Amino acid sequence: MSRSLPPSVRRQMIAFDPAALDAPSVSEFRRSLGVNRPSFYKIRDRHHSEGNAALNPRSRAPEQPARVFTDDTTKVVLGIRRRLKGKGWDAGPKSIWHAGVDEAEFPGSIPSVSTIARIPAGAAGNTGVVDANPRKRPRSSFIRFQRAAAMAMWQLDAFEYKLTDSERTKVTVYQLVDDSTGFDVGTAVFPSPENGQDAIATVGAAIDAYGVLQELLSDYADLGIMPMSV
């Protein structure tokens, strides 16, 4: 907040003497100016150490601004890049930096790797200089492996499971899941080993409960039933 206060308000804050006769309290004075406590004391402390410089906000310019290099440096960077790409080598900023340093090609000061990365993008008429990064594909362009709507396909799987009774009885669990929603439309358990009759019974019970589906996907080789479309 202190950086946006006008000089006139800053001057009042600096000149304020809470010990003066009939002076308002610090809180009342701050409220009259619309200034919070940290900003009030920050500007007064800054005036104590920096004098009238506190009447203006500090510069927001970076302490170490980005270095600007001459056209000669730009030409060297682009030339090294073309040479490396022509030889089939990596032409990234680090590779350009190492090549320029090893061959002493940079005129004057040696640019940093980050500066070299900016030079091709900022080169005049940079068409063909920098490879354009393709934009991410929209999510709508991806083809889903799942069916687009519920009841379009059910998937039937079966596996063997041992109960926790003393005899460790084996049962067969049939899972019937809607491919689009992942909803379990018919999990059933049978005491017999995996077979087509129990699989058909599982599907039939689900159809009775939820209606007729469009397509059924199952491992018919193991179940002994043919894939079906209804």
Side-chain angles (χ1 to χ4, degrees), residues 101-144:
V101 171
D102 292 343
E103 301 296 332
E105 297 184 61
F106 293 122
S109 301
I110 299 175
S112 66
V113 174
S114 60
T115 299
I116 293 175
R118 293 194 300 267
I119 286 177
N126 61 358
T127 303
V129 175
V130 179
D131 298 329
N133 291 326
R135 299 181 65 181
K136 290 184 177 180
R137 291 174 55 190
R139 295 182 64 88
S140 59
S141 67
F142 290 92
I143 299 176
R144 298 182 63 208

Side-chain angles (χ1 to χ4, degrees), residues 66-151:
R67 300 178 65 181
V68 178
F69 288 85
T70 63
D71 291 340
D72 291 338
T73 301
T74 299
K75 292 178 181 178
V76 170
V77 170
L78 297 179
I80 295 174
R81 190 176 188 275
R82 284 193 296 268
R83 186 175 72 241
L84 294 177
K85 292 193 70 174
K87 294 181 179 180
W89 296 345
D90 176 73
K94 289 186 178 179
S95 299
I96 295 174
W97 187 90
H98 283 290
V101 171
D102 292 343
E103 301 296 332
E105 297 184 61
F106 293 122
S109 301
I110 299 175
S112 66
V113 174
S114 60
T115 299
I116 293 175
R118 293 194 300 267
I119 286 177
N126 61 358
T127 303
V129 175
V130 179
D131 298 329
N133 291 326
R135 299 181 65 181
K136 290 184 177 180
R137 291 174 55 190
R139 295 182 64 88
S140 59
S141 67
F142 290 92
I143 299 176
R144 298 182 63 208
F145 288 101
Q146 299 91 343
R147 290 296 189 269
M151 301 296 289

